[in-house]
C-alpha cells in the first residue's frame, strides 16, 4: 500500500518532508520501505527499510546510501547495530528505552485518508566504544497517500 513517510531524528540537522513509501503487512510482520532525499552533508538519497515483528517485539531498521546503518531495537534486550560511513565502520550497542508501533499500522485499509498519520516511536541510547552514551528519539510518521482524482 502506498504511504507517505516522515522520519524525524534528534541526530538530523533539518526537518524532514514526507516522502512516498510502501507499507506491507503480512501476519505478524509489518514493513515500510522509502527513499529519503539527501540532507545535511549527504550528496545522495538513501533507501530506508523498517521491519517490525509483532511477535518478538523487534524492530529492524536499515538504511543504505552514502552512510549505511543496520539497527535492531527491542525493549527486552540490548541489541547491536552497525554504522558504516566513508570514515569507517562503527559497532554499537543499542539500549531501547521505549518502542511504540501504532496498532493501526496493522490495518492499513482502515487508516483514514486525510492528514492523520500513525507513528513508530523509538527512544534509545547508543553506546559506542570510548564515548558517552548518546540519547536519541526517532519518530516515523506513516499516513496514506491521498488518491488523485
Amino acid at each position: 500500500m502506498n504511504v507517505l513517510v516522515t522520519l524525524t531524528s534528534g541526530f538530523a540537522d533539518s526537518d524532514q518532508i514526507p516522502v512516498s513509501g510502501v507499507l506491507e503487512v503480512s501476519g505478524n510482520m509489518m514493513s515500510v520501505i522509502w527513499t529519503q532525499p539527501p540532507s545535511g552533508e549527504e550528496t545522495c538519497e538513501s533507501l530506508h527499510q523498517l521491519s517490525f515483528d509483532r511477535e518478538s517485539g523487534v524492530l529492524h531498521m536499515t538504511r543504505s546510501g552514502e552512510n549505511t546503518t543496520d539497527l535492531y531495537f527491542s525493549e527486552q534486550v540490548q541489541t547491536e547495530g552497525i554504522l558504516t560511513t566513508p570514515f569507517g565502520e562503527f559497532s554499537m550497542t543499542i539500549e531501547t528505552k521505549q518502542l511504540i508501533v501504532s496498532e493501526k499500522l496493522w490495518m492499513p485499509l482502515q487508516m483514514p485518508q486525510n492528514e492523520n498519520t500513525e507513528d513508530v516511536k523509538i527512544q534509545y541510547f547508543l553506546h559506542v566504544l570510548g564515548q558517552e552514551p548518546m540519547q536519541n528519539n526517532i519518530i516515523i510518521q506513516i499516513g496514506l497517500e491521498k488518491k488523485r482524482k
Side-chain angles (χ1 to χ4, degrees):
M1 170 167 287
N2 292 338
V3 293
L4 289 175
V5 181
T6 306
L7 183 144
T8 306
S9 169
F11 291 154
D13 295 342
S14 60
D15 293 333
Q16 298 295 329
I17 56 170
V19 295
S20 294
V22 176
L23 169 68
E24 294 180 354
V25 177
S26 177
N28 284 320
M29 291 296 297
M30 180 268 301
S31 66
V32 183
I33 299 172
W34 72 97
T35 300
Q36 196 78 39
S39 66
E41 296 178 9
E42 296 176 325
T43 59
C44 66
E45 53 188 28
S46 56
L47 179 66
H48 293 247
Q49 182 169 359
L50 176 146
S51 301
F52 181 69
D53 183 335
R54 187 162 47 177
E55 195 171 288
S56 70
V58 174
L59 184 136
H60 182 207
M61 190 158 60
T62 61
R63 173 181 184 218
S64 57
E66 208 168 321
N67 299 311
T68 63
T69 56
D70 190 5
L71 307 173
Y72 290 87
F73 301 92
S74 175
E75 289 184 328
Q76 290 86 26
V77 296
Q78 284 192 345
T79 55
E80 299 297 317
I82 296 175
L83 167 64
T84 305
T85 74
F87 305 104
E89 186 171 283
F90 304 92
S91 296
M92 59 194 76
T93 300
I94 302 165
E95 181 183 354
T96 306
K97 293 296 184 182
Q98 185 178 51
L99 174 60
I100 299 172
V101 178
S102 172
E103 283 295 317
K104 291 183 182 176
L105 291 171
W106 298 97
M107 302 167 284
L109 295 175
Q110 296 176 18
M111 290 170 59
Q113 275 193 302
N114 54 28
E115 298 302 318
N116 292 344
T117 59
E118 298 304 326
D119 295 340
V120 175
K121 297 180 181 179
I122 312 164
Q123 181 182 51
Y124 64 99
F125 285 91
L126 284 181
H127 299 270
V128 180
L129 189 63
Q131 295 185 15
E132 289 292 317
M134 295 175 283
Q135 182 176 358
N136 192 31
N137 297 312
I138 293 176
I139 299 174
I140 302 165
Q141 297 175 309
I142 302 166
L144 294 182
E145 274 191 329
K146 292 182 179 178
K147 291 184 180 175
R148 296 187 177 128
K149 295 180 180 182

